[in-house]
Amino acid sequence: MTDFKITIAGAALLLGSMTSMAKENPNFDYKVDRFADIEVLRYEVPGFNSLTLQQKEMLYYLSEAAQWGRDIIWDQNGKYNLQLRRILEKIYQKYDGDKNSADWKGFDKYMKQVWFGNGPHHHYSNDKFTPEFSRAFFEERLKGLCNKCVGAKDDKQRAEIVATITDYIFDPAFMPKKVSLDSSADVIANSSVNLYDGVTQQEVEDYFAAKKKPGDPTPVSYGLNSRLVKDADGTIHEQTYSLNGLYGDAIRHIIYWLDKAKGVAENDAQRAYITKLIDYYITGDLRLFDEYSILWAEDTDSDVDFVNGFIESYNDPLGMTGSWESYVNFRNRESTKRTKIISDNAQWFEDNAPIDPQYRKPHVKGISAKAINAVMLAGDAYPATAIGINLPNADWIRAQHGSKSVTIENITEAYAEASKGNGFREEFVIDAPTREMMDKYLYQTDMLHTDLHECLGHASGQLAPGTDPDALKENGSTLEEARADLFALYYLADPKLVELGILDNPEAYKAEYYQQMMNGLMTQLNRIEPGNDVEEAHMRNRQLIAAWTLDHAKKSKAVQLVKKGGKTYLKINDYKELRNLFGQLLKEIQRIKSTGDYAAGNALVQKYAVKVDPKLHNEVLKRFSTLDIPPYRGFVNPVYTPEYDKDGNITDVKISYTEGYPEQMMRLSRDYSALGKK
Ligand code: ZN
């Protein structure tokens, strides 16, 4: 699982009051670009220059492997995305007209949005972008492009491509949504992701139901690395992502660089799992992926680490196929002391969780937690990224072999630094004492919330024997995120954290409670267009928790929405009671997951997580409009340049932070295009 965390104003809420920040350069410039609802930042990589040459070399190779997967996520997100990108970039590159014209400005904005979405759909809302340039402008620019430039071999093919891409850009009814979770209709037919072709939701469910062996204690992650298609003759089969299968032209490069990384691995354990990963990429065999995942999860010694593969399934409406992503990173030793205390005490947290004892894990297996600094973000993790990751995802591996949980420290820090003084809390927090409490503790409790969510929350609990792990279907991601969040929220208020020396004030949790409730009830609505429902799983989870507790606090008045000067504010009267409610909801959601109670899960999601109060929504949007806080943020990566001696050996790897956003995108397209070039 990955977590995008902070909520509204993408982490705009973090304010830097934490003393242990690792900044190297006090004048580091975090801000790179701003357009539409997006702000692009850069992040510093503290400690990179002090790594050993072997570590830097390994990070460089892994970064190359990461960047070679870029085209895969574009194609997974939509079957016309690579064609679209090539045409837009050609126009972007060749344009020599008036750069102050409305058409050009609209085109420039659209280009940047499409880069950010790895396709023409919003990375978070899943809605297609609306172009703010005219069809005539686009058609005029197309005239200047050769057949090859639009990816066509002759005039006939050109006409087809141009017609499709023009519709893709300008027809709002054509592939309008990347992922649709509307369970009243066929979620496959209504999602434009390129993970299925020609099959209905029922056919997908039947296909995989036939493959699953009931009672299999170690099932592979069915559908994780394949596209399910129906042929002209009506047969349904999987196109596997592998060296000689789908995306082989990109996977070949990934394998090449992984192999280089293997040559400078830190130890045998690391070499062993890189070998497995390469074997899996060659064959597409999901058993090898599980073997790799186990070896990877069990390696807690290496400082250099990475994720590279088809991992998270949020972009699949049925939650099976993994989107390609890569994170390259190394351990942040100082901050890892905190996460180590938490993971060392994992069994205590499990034993005391407010859930039915039969759904607790009797023996929590090897939860390892660490804080890391990201070195390269790629695929579905770029430009928008998570700040916490907990992998592997397979339930049985987590239960039998444990999982690895990370908090990405330098990304969290970049969010916090870039948010200083943006006026958000002055506008939305009810009073000065609450603001002061948040200023003082939120950076700390946010980091801790991520630790607890990733390291303990996702890793906690167990399924009842025979429960299908996919039983919650389209609500699976939302309920799993709610479970992890509730686990974190419940324990943030536990005296155990003070006892363990992780928090110095037993009241600090209130900052996080206020933040989470305010966000779930109000401020995250800044990310929703007027009239729309809440769609994204993490957002649904946050609203589910906040709206459910508000509803169940009616009698006790522990939590209320109140009016002050015509504005709505969250008022928390009884934090202890709020904690009890979090515990109750955790118990119910754990029961739902453990027993695969789809009906109860769906009822919770439909009642609390989806619908928006239009009046409150408008008010929130209006209040935000006075602040100019970008709802979403993402990152450009640093650029790594190896230096060689005369024999071709790497002698150093230089890091630079100067590349701009369009420059980075155009460079990646130029140097790492692997697919769709026939
Ligand atoms: Zn999560």
Side-chain angles (χ1 to χ4, degrees):
M1 296 88 187
T2 58
D3 287 284
F4 290 86
K5 177 116 194 189
I6 315 303
T7 60
I8 112 95
L13 322 166
L14 293 164
L15 282 183
S17 57
M18 184 125 145
T19 46
S20 66
M21 278 210 210
K23 278 183 75 147
E24 277 184 346
N25 174 3
N27 300 316
F28 190 81
D29 183 11
Y30 290 92
K31 305 206 171 188
V32 178
D33 210 335
R34 176 85 167 86
F35 51 90
D37 54 357
I38 302 289
E39 183 168 50
V40 179
L41 305 175
R42 60 170 64 86
Y43 59 93
E44 199 182 17
V45 189
F48 182 82
N49 290 319
S50 331
L51 296 172
T52 66
L53 175 59
Q54 186 186 345
Q55 289 175 323
K56 286 189 206 173
E57 195 174 345
M58 187 175 185
L59 289 166
Y60 170 70
Y61 294 145
L62 292 169
S63 294
E64 290 293 303
Q67 294 181 108
W68 273 108
R70 179 174 183 241
D71 279 1
I72 298 177
I73 188 64
W74 280 76
D75 194 69
Q76 283 186 306
N77 279 350
K79 64 177 168 182
Y80 304 118
N81 286 4
L82 286 169
Q83 277 178 345
L84 172 74
R85 190 184 81 202
R86 285 201 180 98
I87 290 174
L88 293 176
E89 285 178 349
K90 279 276 183 271
I91 292 174
Y92 186 82
Q93 218 170 7
K94 287 188 72 165
Y95 184 74
D96 56 3
D98 177 7
K99 294 216 165 172
N100 286 315
S101 71
D103 272 328
W104 172 256
K105 285 185 174 161
F107 182 85
D108 184 62
K109 176 176 168 183
Y110 185 76
M111 179 83 254
K112 288 178 171 178
Q113 287 179 294
V114 170
W115 277 327
F116 201 91
N118 296 312
H121 298 91
H122 196 281
H123 71 287
Y124 212 85
S125 76
N126 289 312
D127 293 325
K128 207 159 78 164
F129 301 124
T130 305
E132 293 171 20
F133 56 97
S134 66
R135 213 175 168 116
F137 172 86
F138 181 66
E139 283 166 357
E140 189 57 36
R141 303 273 82 74
L142 275 177
K143 281 183 197 159
L145 302 184
C146 62
N147 282 350
K148 204 172 145 247
C149 304
V150 303
K153 49 183 190 302
D154 54 32
D155 288 350
K156 184 171 167 275
Q157 197 187 16
R158 178 197 182 97
E160 286 164 16
I161 291 174
V162 164
T164 305
I165 295 302
T166 307
D167 280 352
Y168 201 25
I169 297 172
F170 292 100
D171 180 355
F174 181 56
M175 302 179 106
K177 213 145 187 95
K178 185 166 92 174
V179 186
S180 168
L181 297 179
D182 176 1
S183 55
S184 66
D186 185 318
V187 293
I188 300 290
N190 289 319
S191 299
S192 61
V193 280
N194 186 24
L195 309 176
Y196 302 95
D197 197 30
V199 284
T200 65
Q201 180 174 348
Q202 193 61 53
E203 284 168 337
V204 177
E205 287 173 2
D206 292 347
Y207 177 88
F208 286 108
K211 290 194 90 168
K212 288 181 185 175
K213 301 178 211 96
D216 182 355
T218 60
V220 297
S221 303
Y222 291 100
L224 185 73
N225 67 338
S226 66
R227 180 169 179 261
L228 194 67
V229 299
K230 191 195 271 184
D231 285 342
D233 66 2
T235 54
I236 293 173
H237 67 100
E238 284 176 80
Q239 296 175 332
T240 303
Y241 306 148
S242 63
L243 179 62
N244 295 310
L246 197 54
Y247 303 143
D249 288 339
I251 288 170
R252 177 175 307 117
H253 291 281
I254 295 171
I255 291 173
Y256 173 84
W257 289 104
L258 287 177
D259 193 55
K260 301 274 279 183
K262 190 174 112 180
V264 289
E266 292 188 87
N267 50 56
D268 288 343
Q270 193 169 52
R271 249 185 304 281
Y273 71 72
I274 298 177
T275 304
K276 281 283 184 212
L277 180 60
I278 291 173
D279 289 348
Y280 158 67
Y281 267 132
I282 292 172
T283 60
D285 180 350
L286 284 170
R287 295 240 163 259
L288 290 175
F289 181 66
D290 285 346
E291 289 172 19
Y292 149 78
S293 298
I294 292 166
L295 293 174
W296 176 80
E298 289 176 346
D299 170 26
T300 53
D301 292 333
S302 308
D303 280 332
V304 169
D305 203 353
F306 70 101
V307 172
N308 183 311
F310 302 95
I311 308 293
E312 303 292 352
S313 53
Y314 302 109
N315 285 330
D316 178 352
L318 293 178
M320 290 188 290
T321 305
S323 295
W324 192 89
E325 69 173 31
S326 184
Y327 288 90
V328 180
N329 64 78
F330 62 93
R331 190 192 312 264
N332 179 325
R333 287 181 174 270
E334 190 50 40
S335 302
T336 294
K337 289 176 190 159
R338 176 190 75 223
T339 55
K340 185 164 186 318
I341 295 175
I342 294 171
S343 54
D344 285 350
N345 287 277
Q347 191 68 52
W348 184 90
F349 288 100
E350 185 76 10
D351 292 345
N352 290 279
I355 61 176
D356 196 321
Q358 62 179 314
Y359 306 136
R360 290 184 195 139
K361 276 199 178 89
H363 305 286
V364 178
K365 282 271 160 64
I367 296 174
S368 70
K370 60 182 177 179
I372 59 169
N373 283 336
V375 166
M376 182 66 64
L377 311 166
D380 204 35
Y382 168 86
T385 179
I387 52 154
I389 317 170
N390 183 317
L391 294 171
N393 279 332
D395 281 309
W396 69 267
I397 296 179
R398 304 167 74 82
Q400 294 177 25
H401 301 275
S403 62
K404 209 157 36 181
S405 163
V406 304
T407 303
I408 311 178
E409 198 103 354
N410 61 336
I411 294 292
T412 307
E413 184 176 337
Y415 280 139
E417 287 290 319
S419 301
K420 282 183 173 170
N422 66 12
F424 172 78
R425 281 189 205 148
E426 287 70 16
E427 178 59 42
F428 287 102
V429 175
I430 189 163
D431 53 30
T434 310
R435 269 199 300 278
E436 280 155 26
M437 176 177 80
M438 292 168 84
D439 287 348
K440 196 152 175 218
Y441 288 109
L442 201 55
Y443 187 83
Q444 219 178 332
T445 56
D446 260 342
M447 207 78 90
L448 205 45
H449 179 269
T450 307
D451 296 338
L452 293 168
H453 173 115
E454 297 296 344
C455 170
L456 301 180
H458 281 308
S460 71
Q462 64 178 0
L463 300 183
T467 299
D468 176 359
D470 298 326
L472 304 178
K473 293 197 254 188
E474 74 278 6
N475 299 312
S477 297
T478 297
L479 293 167
E480 175 57 20
E481 291 310 323
R483 201 177 67 83
D485 261 358
L486 287 162
F487 199 97
L489 288 167
Y490 179 80
Y491 276 120
L492 262 176
D494 203 288
K496 186 78 178 175
L497 297 186
V498 179
E499 187 192 305
L500 291 172
I502 299 170
L503 277 177
D504 60 5
N505 184 335
E507 310 285 299
Y509 76 94
K510 293 178 179 175
E512 192 69 22
Y513 275 27
Y514 194 89
Q515 157 63 24
Q516 292 280 336
M517 290 297 291
M518 172 178 71
N519 188 43
L521 291 170
M522 294 174 56
T523 48
Q524 76 166 0
L525 296 175
N526 186 38
R527 294 184 155 192
I528 308 278
E529 297 286 330
N532 285 4
D533 289 342
V534 180
E535 296 273 354
E536 196 277 336
H538 294 83
M539 286 182 73
R540 282 191 168 185
N541 138 47
R542 293 183 198 114
Q543 180 169 307
L544 168 61
I545 292 173
W548 187 94
T549 44
L550 180 71
D551 192 28
H552 288 74
K554 261 187 196 144
K555 243 212 204 113
S556 67
K557 295 198 170 58
V559 184
Q560 296 173 293
L561 286 178
V562 298
K563 288 273 189 191
K564 242 175 71 176
K567 292 177 176 178
T568 310
Y569 293 90
L570 167 72
K571 189 158 186 274
I572 299 181
N573 299 308
D574 186 344
Y575 281 90
K576 290 225 155 61
E577 172 59 12
L578 180 54
R579 185 190 186 214
N580 286 336
L581 291 171
F582 287 151
Q584 284 171 33
L585 184 56
L586 174 58
K587 184 174 186 195
E588 171 61 2
I589 290 181
Q590 182 63 56
R591 184 198 67 75
I592 289 170
K593 177 175 179 179
S594 291
T595 60
D597 187 345
Y598 173 83
N602 192 49
L604 267 186
V605 169
Q606 296 308 326
K607 182 163 182 197
Y608 294 108
V610 180
K611 291 294 168 199
V612 175
D613 170 4
K615 251 180 83 184
L616 183 59
H617 189 190
N618 279 334
E619 181 196 319
V620 168
L621 294 178
K622 220 176 118 206
R623 288 163 71 181
F624 262 105
S625 68
T626 62
L627 294 176
D628 192 36
I629 294 175
Y632 303 96
R633 284 165 154 177
F635 293 88
V636 290
N637 286 305
V639 178
Y640 300 89
T641 312
E643 294 182 344
Y644 297 91
D645 65 15
K646 59 177 172 24
D647 301 321
N649 303 309
I650 290 185
T651 54
D652 199 4
V653 178
K654 296 286 184 215
I655 182 168
S656 100
Y657 299 106
T658 52
E659 193 167 42
Y661 175 63
E663 292 75 17
Q664 182 153 104
M665 291 296 170
M666 292 300 283
R667 179 176 60 83
L668 292 175
S669 295
R670 188 190 69 214
D671 295 348
Y672 299 94
S673 278
L675 300 179
K677 284 202 287 200
K678 285 162 253 173

